[in-house]
Amino acid sequence: MKKLLLTLAALTVGTLLARADTLVIKGSDTLGAKLVPQLAEEFKAQHPGTTFNIAAEGSTTGIAAIIDDTAQIGMASRPTKPEEVAAAKAKGVNFKETIVAVIVSDANPIKGLTKKQVEQIFTGDVTDWSAVGGSGGKISVYTRNTSSGTYSEFKELAMKKRDYAPDSQKMAGNEQIAQEVGKNPNGAGYVGLAYVKASGIKVVAIDSATPSKESVLGKAYPYARPTFYYTNGEPTGLAKQFVDFTISDAGQKIVEQVGFVPIK
């Protein structure tokens, strides 16, 4: 039985208020599916009357929402691209990023994999577990969809910017990848660190390093990166209050409880 799960995190971005007491946040599934909703619930407890409109549909949608002024905070699991910055400037939008958490990427099949083996698995150079020390079986690769920042960042972190295996299967979010890997003995995938305890999956060390707060902050784990909120310039009003809450001690406690690595 071999299942591979790699963990990675993402960022979030936002820009526009639908009403004075409503905060619109769009973007990354890695942040938007679990972390930001929990931050929002605690924030609402402290600010009665506040409502949130959270759409976790991928980092690309969050960055676009900032450019189009359809969100106040945009979630993203990758930095902005040069063409996105150019499109923003053309509309008078000036991206401001705020680091909110550090995330990792993790693996599961056998007892451990090397970074080279991970690259081979996800690019399709290796298609059978026997080639990386397993007992055999065709590897099924699960990835995020192309609008996901995690999709592009994993290529950067683990694949030397190479393309994914032609038969890799694209999933909408972290939970979908975890579910598919969990029920496929030959599955291989990557998710945010907050999802590594999903049923049926197993985390494996990469070059003898496993993902944890300590290994990420100590830079021992190879697939780690910061996550961000992007706003149009310095956040103001409700958006600023939520950004400040996220990076406060109380917010960072939630970050750690959800399974991300806090910045404090």
Side-chain angles (χ1 to χ4, degrees):
M1 293 285 286
K2 302 168 284 296
K3 303 171 189 170
L4 172 64
L5 194 70
L6 294 156
T7 59
L8 204 64
L11 17 134
T12 64
V13 197
T15 101
L16 169 68
L17 278 158
R19 302 196 318 266
D21 58 350
T22 298
L23 185 59
V24 180
I25 304 176
K26 297 181 180 181
S28 164
D29 169 82
T30 302
L31 288 178
K34 274 190 177 182
L35 176 58
V36 172
Q38 291 197 32
L39 287 167
E41 286 303 310
E42 182 61 29
F43 185 86
K44 286 190 293 184
Q46 298 179 19
H47 300 80
T50 302
T51 59
F52 285 80
N53 182 349
I54 301 171
E57 299 173 342
S59 300
T60 297
T61 66
I63 293 169
I66 299 300
I67 297 173
D68 297 337
D69 197 28
T70 57
Q72 289 170 293
I73 297 175
M75 302 176 289
S77 56
R78 61 168 175 80
T80 52
K81 298 176 180 178
E83 57 267 31
E84 291 169 332
V85 174
K89 287 185 177 179
K91 290 192 173 184
V93 173
N94 178 32
F95 283 123
K96 170 67 171 64
E97 66 184 27
T98 303
I99 298 176
V100 293
V102 175
I103 51 170
V104 278
S105 161
D106 212 337
N108 123 27
I110 25 202
K111 292 183 178 179
L113 292 171
T114 66
K115 288 190 292 184
K116 181 62 178 177
Q117 288 172 329
V118 172
E119 177 189 346
Q120 291 172 326
I121 288 169
F122 282 87
T123 58
D125 289 347
V126 164
T127 59
D128 194 281
W129 286 114
S130 60
V132 291
S135 57
K138 187 179 185 303
I139 301 172
S140 297
V141 173
Y142 298 96
T143 79
R144 293 291 306 282
N145 57 41
T146 55
S147 67
S148 164
T150 304
Y151 177 90
S152 58
E153 280 296 283
F154 190 74
K155 290 176 67 173
E156 179 89 22
L157 288 168
M159 299 166 60
K160 298 179 180 176
K161 300 183 180 180
R162 298 174 61 194
D163 289 333
Y164 286 94
D167 61 351
S168 60
Q169 302 175 62
K170 296 179 177 62
M171 303 284 110
N174 289 276
E175 290 184 353
Q176 288 81 0
I177 290 181
Q179 289 170 1
E180 291 303 315
V181 171
K183 64 186 181 184
N184 184 347
N186 292 313
Y190 53 79
V191 298
L193 183 59
Y195 298 84
V196 298
K197 294 183 179 179
S199 175
I201 65 173
K202 171 185 169 185
V203 175
V204 73
I206 305 298
D207 283 345
S208 300
T210 54
S212 67
K213 180 174 73 173
E214 292 73 23
S215 66
V216 171
L217 295 177
K219 299 184 178 180
Y221 192 72
Y223 305 142
R225 64 182 177 180
T227 63
F228 311 88
Y229 285 148
Y230 283 103
T231 55
N232 180 6
E234 292 289 341
T236 59
L238 192 57
K240 182 181 188 310
Q241 292 180 52
F242 186 69
V243 169
D244 289 346
F245 171 71
T246 298
I247 62 178
S248 71
D249 290 343
Q252 289 297 295
K253 183 177 181 180
I254 295 172
V255 166
E256 187 166 11
Q257 289 172 343
V258 172
F260 287 78
V261 179
I263 58 174
K264 295 187 177 183

